[in-house]
Amino acid sequence: MKRKAIIAMSGGVDSSVAAVLTKESGDECIGATMKLFHNEDIGVKKEKTCCSLDDVEDARSVCYKMGIRYYVFNFSERFKEDVMDRFVQAYENGCTPNPCIDCNRYLKFDKMFQRMRELEYDYIVTGHYARVEYDKDSGRYVLKKAVDDTKDQSYVLYMLTQEQLAHLSLPLGNLRKSQVREIARQHGLINSEKHDSQDICFVPDGDYAGFIEKYTGHPSVEGNFVDKNGKILGRHKGIIHYTPGQRRGLGIPDTERLYVCDISPETNQVILGHHEDLFHSQLTAGQVNLITCDNLKEPIKIKAKIRYRHPEQDAVAWQTEDGKLHVRFDQPQRAITKGQSVVLYDGDIVVGGGVIEDYDS
């Protein structure tokens, strides 16, 4: 039976090829781009961010060529509240957030799904590199890594619920990036050679602190660099300028290299230490979402990633009665960072994950 799909289109080659493959499956399709913000309002260059005016036109062009209807959904108010505001608040509280995960959580897989239900469509299609499968033995949908491990995006999708996975199609999960571009060329898509977006869409120049100062309208508050014993080592420019593991830009003379080891928003201090001080064996995470099971009451051996580009590491994970996720690594990990997500893997299957809140030795 023919089903109806909404294809989330960013204007890039990946979502465009996902649209092509869905149309060729025979299902009824419409394309939709999320309007998240006005580029000129935050001073970004149109060609360096997703969902810009140029991207909208590229997505519209692809839909026109395919003969499917195209819409732009204005989610800018929700994006401001649930992504940009959270981004700013995290940095102000000494954390380093991943706004792409928040965008997936609150926009692409919440607001877009809400629109899907309102329009009485059956499923959402995205250009993410990951796979969704139904496991008959457990009666659950599972999220798996992409075939192309150089493009795998399962890390940023760990927050998906069973309901969302049941109504999600990821056509690129079994393809390599080279195959995706070739499909785009074969179909004469305008964006077949378009570069992938690498930066945070609303901070394409990478100057997070500068963005936060403009966004909030007030400058950073200077404070003290201190060592782990509280000794003052110098002055910093404001805690939003720093993240754990950072070495450059400190301006502190020392016979050995110093690194940011922790950030204290309560005292407005940035704690510096040496390389060995960056390593920790355990972490605690909140905002937990599990895909393969309802809970982890008993410890399990898994692989864990503490950042998108971080190699998987052997670890043991479990939950406590308060629902917090605890991960103990076999080997200490460098620069575990509050605000980033820890994602658990069993082979190529995503077990789940959560947002890092604390760590210890």
Side-chain angles (χ1 to χ4, degrees), residues 118-231:
E118 291 170 351
L119 296 175
E120 298 184 340
Y121 271 63
D122 299 304
Y123 65 101
I124 296 288
V125 180
T126 79
H128 286 100
Y129 286 83
R131 294 174 289 164
V132 177
E133 296 179 3
Y134 182 72
D135 180 50
K136 293 181 179 179
D137 292 337
S138 65
R140 301 177 75 98
Y141 287 89
V142 294
L143 176 68
K144 303 177 73 173
K145 297 177 189 174
V147 168
D148 188 342
D149 58 0
T150 67
K151 299 299 295 181
D152 176 54
Q153 294 174 298
S154 60
Y155 174 88
V156 298
L157 300 176
Y158 78 87
M159 81 302 296
L160 291 172
T161 65
Q162 286 293 305
E163 172 69 14
Q164 291 164 344
L165 289 167
H167 298 277
L168 174 63
S169 174
L170 304 175
L172 307 191
N174 288 306
L175 299 175
R176 306 196 75 80
K177 182 72 177 196
S178 57
Q179 293 175 291
V180 170
R181 289 206 182 275
E182 182 58 31
I183 292 171
R185 293 187 196 103
Q186 290 173 357
H187 287 79
L189 301 187
I190 191 173
N191 51 14
S192 62
E193 305 303 326
K194 189 173 183 178
H195 293 302
D196 295 337
S197 176
Q198 299 293 330
D199 300 299
I200 293 174
C201 62
F202 55 92
V203 197
D205 62 0
D207 183 6
Y208 306 150
F211 166 78
I212 292 169
E213 290 178 333
K214 291 177 184 176
Y215 189 80
T216 61
H218 56 75
S220 305
V221 178
E222 294 184 358
N224 289 326
F225 283 122
V226 300
D227 65 16
K228 58 186 177 182
N229 297 316
K231 178 183 176 182

Side-chain angles (χ1 to χ4, degrees), residues 262-283:
D262 202 357
I263 297 169
S264 173
E266 296 81 11
T267 61
N268 193 30
Q269 292 178 329
V270 176
I271 297 88
L272 304 182
H274 298 108
H275 190 254
E276 60 270 21
D277 297 320
L278 292 172
F279 289 82
H280 300 276
S281 296
Q282 299 188 68
L283 65 80

Side-chain angles (χ1 to χ4, degrees), residues 23-170:
K23 176 72 181 300
E24 290 181 345
S25 75
D27 282 352
E28 180 183 336
C29 309
I30 62 172
T33 296
M34 301 185 300
K35 183 61 178 174
L36 303 178
F37 56 84
H38 299 286
N39 287 4
E40 60 272 18
D41 291 344
I42 58 173
V44 301
K45 295 181 179 179
K46 61 185 180 182
E47 70 272 13
K48 293 199 68 177
T49 175
C50 65
C51 306
S52 67
L53 182 59
D54 279 5
D55 292 317
V56 167
E57 291 308 312
D58 286 348
R60 192 190 309 276
S61 172
V62 169
C63 287
Y64 179 78
K65 186 176 184 64
M66 294 171 53
I68 65 175
R69 289 173 292 160
Y70 175 72
Y71 299 89
V72 177
F73 297 152
N74 186 356
F75 294 153
S76 55
E77 183 176 346
R78 182 72 182 269
F79 185 79
K80 180 182 182 299
E81 293 175 359
D82 286 326
V83 180
M84 296 170 73
D85 286 355
R86 287 176 183 273
F87 178 85
V88 170
Q89 291 163 7
Y91 267 100
E92 290 179 333
N93 284 283
C95 298
T96 305
N98 188 323
C100 295
I101 290 177
D102 281 340
C103 187
N104 283 336
R105 186 194 302 267
Y106 298 110
L107 276 297
K108 191 166 289 182
F109 299 105
D110 185 357
K111 288 294 289 182
M112 189 69 89
F113 268 74
Q114 179 181 330
R115 192 61 53 90
M116 177 196 76
R117 290 188 289 269
E118 291 170 351
L119 296 175
E120 298 184 340
Y121 271 63
D122 299 304
Y123 65 101
I124 296 288
V125 180
T126 79
H128 286 100
Y129 286 83
R131 294 174 289 164
V132 177
E133 296 179 3
Y134 182 72
D135 180 50
K136 293 181 179 179
D137 292 337
S138 65
R140 301 177 75 98
Y141 287 89
V142 294
L143 176 68
K144 303 177 73 173
K145 297 177 189 174
V147 168
D148 188 342
D149 58 0
T150 67
K151 299 299 295 181
D152 176 54
Q153 294 174 298
S154 60
Y155 174 88
V156 298
L157 300 176
Y158 78 87
M159 81 302 296
L160 291 172
T161 65
Q162 286 293 305
E163 172 69 14
Q164 291 164 344
L165 289 167
H167 298 277
L168 174 63
S169 174
L170 304 175

